[in-house]
Amino acid sequence: MITAHGDSSREPQPGGPEPVERERELALLGELARRTAAGDPGLVMLEGPDGIGKSTLLCALIAQARAQGLRVVHTRADRQDHRRPLSTAHDLLAGLDAGRMPPLTWPEPPGTSGPDAPVPGSDARVAGSADVDGAGVPFDVLAELHEIVRSAAANGPLAIVVDDAEEADAASLRFLAHGARRMAGLPVLIALTRRSGTHVPALNEVAALPLCRVLRPRPLTGAGIGLLARRLLGTETDTAFHESCLAATNGNPLMVARLLTALREEELPLTADHFTSVSEQDIPAFRLRMARLLHRHPEATVRAARALAVLGDEVSPETGARLALLDSAVFARSLLALVFMGLVTSNADGTWSFAHSLLRNTVLGEMSEEERDTAHGRAARLLHDAGASPAEVAEHLRQAPSTTHQPWARTVLREAAREAMLRASPMRATQLLRPCVPEGTEEDCEPSLLVELGVAESRIDPEASVRHLSTALDRATEPELRLQALRSLAEALTRQGQVDRAVGLLTRYRAETAVPLSGTADPQLVEARLLMAATGNRAAFTQLLEAVSFDLSLPGGTAEERALLAARAAISVTRLDRVAEAVAAARTVIGRGTAANDAPLFLATAASVLLYADLPHEAECSYHRLLEGTDALLDQTYPSLLALSAEAHQRLGSLDPALRATATALKDVTVSRASRYEALPLAVRLHALLDRGDLAQAILLEKEIPDPVPDDSWQWNEVLCARGRLHLDTKDHERALAVLKECARRQAEWQRISPAVSPWWYWAGHAHLALGDHGAAAALAEEAVAGARSAGLPCALGSGLELWAAASDGERPLLLEEAEQVLMGTRAALVRARVRVARGKALQRLGYTKDARAVLRQGWEEAYDVGSRSLYTVAHRALLATGARPRRPVSRGLGALTQSESQVARLAASGRSNAWIAESLYVTQRTVEVHLTSVYRKLGLSGRRQLRDVLTSEEITTSEHEQ
């Protein structure tokens, strides 16, 4: 029983830091206590979800009321015995005047007589556990109870406090509403709290009274969370951490306090980065605290929370209710309770989601493993029956091992795995298929299922792939399935380095396909795939080169011949072997290949032959056509196409398109966890940033890239080259040379010896020059020049001659002049500009100032056009050294035209006169003449006659280039 001084077991306990961001509420409660002390009545209701701080505010109110001299009676109504009739009222009033408490009886309602009816005159609290309708309380009982309050108030101001009032019995709530309407002239303060979303008629009636003040505490802000952390933990935390906590708790003070306490107990760093990583998993201490908070609610609310947690994001009310085994109306009320708690939020499309992954994970963590298994299995079946996608259903099946043995579940998992393979996600496909083939059951599984699993595993787990494909090959009886298993097994063996077995299977394959076949069953296509698979394993690549033919005379009349031709040509051109024949073969593949018949992989391989043969413009056009016809989501070659296209742009000096393409290729990639498949776009991006002169961005990117040395894949060689160049630009010459030598060693092991494959030798030569070793630089240059001359590689030849000139003072001008002439026939604008700047500087040092000025100005303008700020700066300083005073250079091409110039040019090209153009654009004829003069200069024209043809051709070329 509650006395006037309070019972500590039932009184709201402070037990924590002072209320945060509750100044408005505390001020109002303090004012009500002062007014009641002065003789005025007061009525306040605190409304909000669990954990918002209602009880804390009641503690503050009780303290202020006592400080003002009020007599306080209080209780919490969320206990079992408070469901008995008038039990809450009895607890409140017994301490005021126990002698005047009336017998809690009233006439029996009709139909309640019988052996189980309460005995007349007995205490209603012991008459059974069933509550009674509050409307059935006799008026004289309510009046007598209210008289106790009036008598107590006559002896001094009184505060009546009830926490969790919605849990009180209906009769007691009727008594509180009865008294609230009759408080005029009484120095009584009634303070109630109730949970948001509860519908209790008596409390609704109280809240609607004119005297009642309804307070709804707001969630904490980020700043409030910081203050609470300082008070609770005694430490300072940053804004990012506050925002992370706010997202995880919706600012619910109790949840924030429990989360902070849990982080402290788990000894976890209070930083946003660490919080983000742990929030995707679980914090055991927080889970236990939140589970207690959740279980204060009815069982239906708990079941609804679990259903939402199992189903994940964007859950429809219908599906959630079915999984929770709840009526739709009950589920809707439960959702409302979860929303008020700050756990769940609604989406714009009418679906529901947890407010934060940490909250969802805590609910899932509170379930047993068996409960999660059963729930995910039921969720999978519900979604499958509702027509959900295989991928969505499969996500639940992965977490329901007891369900995957069912035939329908296996069918769904296989369909989802096929979709994952189409989206270039073998890891995902492997995860989906492995539950279908439990360990030790391979002999009992369908061979087709084993083939699907083995193909998915080939890039993830080669050993498991070989095991499953071997079993499938032994058990398969259908010819097509046997050939598919044999072909896939040969590729897997090649990736694993077992070339002898792979070649043996290829021989067996040819024997089993004595009858000519086409499509994926053709032996030529199998051999092409083996060659491509070998590029992922250096040892296998080296062995395979000695075991297969590199005949480039295939006619290329079928898709299978073209695939084999492209694979052979790509390997030949990197080895500097019959480059002209390889280029002819690549052009045959590209010219005869079609998107309908040829795999994008082999068309891209043929385009790479052109790239490594120093024909970047031709290669870029091929990549552009392939990208247009390739599905960005469904084709696994798309990221590689983007990377190769970016490299072609970078070699041409088109730096902005190169950076855009690499940004797209790396959009969803965490650089610090990049694999060999992301190595090439990373290398191209580093080169493009350095070409542009953005050294700071290049340094930041390089710091994120993982160490490429442990992985000997050839793609990481290009990262080493770019990294060595970066060290060279940062003046760390010795480190640059060491990295570039490692790149050279690896390139030689991969037999990628063509100087057009990678520019490592060019940057290594400049590193030697920076360290004063001109002989080593000259040796690298001579070797590159010799290889480039014999193979007809103009860009590599131009760069080699430039390096040779830098290493040998006597022949410098002649070498640079030859390099410039060689590059005139290419579209490698940046390389050409670099050579021109070097030649201009050489002429200036030899005293040919006038000639040097002309050459430097040309290189200066070209550097400006391609956007190379670093080369532009070098050229500008060299121009100033010749005594020139260069103005800002004029860009060339349509992209350099202003909007007004472009408008005037198009009108002039259509045959309009200057006068007509001036009148149409509301400008003077002189303005039109000035614009046309600028257009002629930027497009390199002498007059209007050439404008139409050149403008049209330039538009077409520029459009193709930008796309």
Side-chain angles (χ1 to χ4, degrees), residues 698-735:
I699 291 173
L700 290 175
L701 177 61
E702 189 271 339
K703 286 181 178 178
E704 292 185 63
I705 298 176
D707 182 12
V709 173
D711 187 345
D712 72 346
S713 301
W714 67 264
Q715 291 90 339
W716 287 112
N717 301 356
E718 308 309 324
V719 173
L720 284 171
C721 175
R723 179 171 283 176
R725 180 185 175 186
L726 175 63
H727 294 324
L728 188 62
D729 282 9
T730 57
K731 310 302 180 185
D732 192 350
H733 303 135
E734 292 184 355
R735 189 178 179 189

Side-chain angles (χ1 to χ4, degrees), residues 123-266:
D123 192 333
R125 288 180 298 166
V126 297
S129 62
D131 198 0
V132 297
D133 185 3
V137 183
F139 181 83
D140 58 343
V141 173
L142 294 175
E144 194 168 351
L145 291 174
H146 184 61
E147 186 58 31
I148 297 175
V149 175
R150 291 178 61 87
S151 299
N155 297 325
L158 175 66
I160 299 175
V161 179
V162 181
D163 200 4
D164 293 332
E166 76 280 357
E167 298 292 339
D169 62 279
S172 294
L173 290 173
R174 178 52 55 192
F175 154 69
L176 291 172
H178 176 87
R181 293 195 303 269
R182 293 164 173 79
M183 291 178 61
L186 296 179
V188 177
L189 171 60
I190 299 179
L192 310 174
T193 72
R194 73 165 173 176
R195 185 185 301 128
S196 298
T198 55
H199 178 70
V200 181
L203 292 180
N204 295 343
E205 181 182 331
V206 172
L209 293 174
L211 181 63
C212 185
R213 301 294 298 272
V214 179
L215 291 181
R216 297 183 177 89
R218 297 181 180 180
L220 298 180
T221 63
I225 291 175
L227 179 58
L228 182 59
R230 188 160 57 250
R231 291 180 180 177
L232 190 63
L233 307 179
T235 185
E236 293 290 340
T237 48
D238 60 21
T239 303
F241 176 74
H242 304 159
E243 295 303 320
S244 297
C245 288
L246 181 60
T249 62
N250 270 343
N252 184 295
L254 180 61
M255 293 176 64
V256 171
R258 290 179 173 177
L259 176 58
L260 293 173
T261 304
L263 291 173
R264 179 181 61 188
E265 292 178 3
E266 300 287 334

Side-chain angles (χ1 to χ4, degrees), residues 611 616-617 620 623 642-662 680-692 718 721-722 725 756-759 763 795 827-831 834 866 868 961:
L611 182 68
H617 175 70
E620 197 283 320
Y623 291 137
L642 278 174
L644 291 166
S645 175
E647 184 173 2
H649 279 299
Q650 187 261 334
R651 293 188 181 210
L652 288 167
S654 305
L655 303 182
D656 287 340
L659 289 171
R660 285 196 298 270
T662 56
L680 187 58
L682 285 171
V684 174
R685 188 166 185 83
L686 261 182
H687 278 298
L689 289 171
L690 293 172
D691 285 335
R692 197 171 66 176
E718 308 309 324
C721 175
R725 180 185 175 186
V757 168
S758 172
W763 302 112
C795 299
R827 300 197 185 190
L830 181 58
V831 177
R834 188 181 292 131
V866 300
S868 178
H961 184 68

